[in-house]
Amino acid sequence: MRLADLSERSGVSPATIKYYLREGLLPPGRLINTTQAEYDESHLRRLRLVRAMIQIGRIPVATVREVLAHVDDDSLGLTIRLGAALWVLPHPGEPAPDAADDPDDPSLDVARKRVDDLLARLGWTTAREVGDLSPAHRALVSTLATLDRLGHPLDADDMLPYARSMEQAATYDLDRMETLPTPAEQTEYAVTAAVLFEPVLLNLRRLAQSEESARRYGL
C-alpha cells in the first residue's frame, strides 16, 4: 500500500506518518521509485502500536523509540527481549527522578524484606535474582514503603492472594501472546498489553469493588 493508503487505513495523517518515519518509530517502506515507497501490514500494525503508546500511554517519543529498538532486536532471547522492552515503559509507583526515595529511609529496607519474602513464597526465582534492577521491583518496594509510612502496611500474607491472581493473569497473557507467529509480533503484543490491558485490569478491579460493596452494604 502507498503512504496515502496507510494513512487512510490507520486514521493517522500522512504528515504524522512521515514524522514517525523520520524519528525511526516506523521502519521505511520498500522503495518503488525515487519518491514513493510501499508499505505492508507490518507497517500498519507498528503504526497502531506507536499511536497507542503515544496517545493512550502518554509515552515520550524517545521512550517509544527505545521500546521499539528492543522489540526489533533479533539478537535477544524472547524473555530478555520482552523484559528489555517492558522495562523501558513507565511503571506505576516508581518515583520520578527528582523525587527519589531517601535511600536511608528504614521503610525501604522493611519493604524490600517484605517483597523478598513474598517472592520466596511464590517461588519467583527470576524476580528475586533480578531484584532492584527491575523497575517493577523498585516501584513495588517504593509503593510498599509509602504505604508503611502512611500507616497502611502490607506484608507477604496481605499480598499473596493478589500475586497469585497476577500469576494467573500472566499465564493467560503469555498463552495469548504465543498465538502470534514471530518474536517481534509477540513482543509488540506484550507492549500493547502493558499499555492498554493494565488499565483494563485496573478498571475491572474498581468495577468489582463497586459491585462487592453494593452486595455487602447496599446502595
Side-chain angles (χ1 to χ4, degrees), residues 66-211:
E66 191 175 355
V67 170
L68 295 176
H70 295 307
V71 168
D72 294 329
D73 190 347
D74 292 328
S75 70
L76 300 176
L78 186 55
T79 296
I80 300 299
R81 196 170 181 172
L82 290 170
L86 295 178
W87 280 21
V88 177
L89 294 173
H91 286 74
E94 188 171 23
D98 59 350
D101 289 312
D102 179 357
D104 296 325
D105 185 346
S107 295
L108 285 174
D109 287 335
V110 172
R112 284 193 185 91
K113 289 174 182 176
R114 288 174 178 165
V115 171
D116 193 55
D117 182 21
L118 174 67
L119 298 179
R121 292 170 65 176
L122 290 165
W124 293 4
T125 55
T126 300
R128 290 186 71 196
E129 290 170 1
V130 172
D132 268 356
L133 292 175
S134 164
H137 186 284
R138 293 196 303 270
L140 179 57
V141 168
S142 179
T143 302
L144 291 178
T146 301
L147 284 168
D148 194 49
R149 290 191 292 269
L150 291 173
H152 301 290
L154 289 176
D155 61 19
D157 286 334
D158 298 319
M159 291 184 283
L160 194 61
Y162 296 100
R164 291 296 186 199
S165 297
M166 290 302 100
E167 275 188 321
Q168 293 180 329
T171 299
Y172 187 57
D173 283 342
L174 295 186
D175 286 345
R176 287 174 58 89
M177 186 190 76
E178 288 173 357
T179 65
L180 298 170
T182 68
E185 288 176 83
Q186 291 172 355
T187 311
E188 283 184 347
Y189 174 86
V191 172
T192 301
V195 175
L196 298 179
F197 289 5
E198 287 182 4
V200 169
L201 295 177
L202 171 62
N203 288 298
L204 282 173
R205 179 174 179 268
R206 291 182 178 177
L207 288 172
Q209 286 175 333
S210 176
E211 191 69 20

Side-chain angles (χ1 to χ4, degrees), residues 1-27 39 43-44 47 50-51:
M1 72 186 95
R2 304 292 176 88
L3 190 140
D5 301 318
L6 183 61
S7 173
E8 183 177 356
R9 290 187 61 186
S10 66
V12 180
S13 72
T16 300
I17 294 174
K18 290 176 182 177
Y19 169 69
Y20 291 162
L21 287 165
R22 289 195 303 272
E23 291 293 321
L25 306 185
L26 198 64
Y39 304 91
H43 290 90
L44 181 61
L47 182 55
V50 169
R51 292 299 276 177

Side-chain angles (χ1 to χ4, degrees), residues 1-3 6 21 26-40 42-43:
M1 72 186 95
R2 304 292 176 88
L3 190 140
L6 183 61
L21 287 165
L26 198 64
R30 183 178 65 86
L31 286 176
I32 53 179
N33 58 47
T34 56
T35 60
Q36 290 186 313
E38 188 173 61
Y39 304 91
D40 59 25
S42 68
H43 290 90

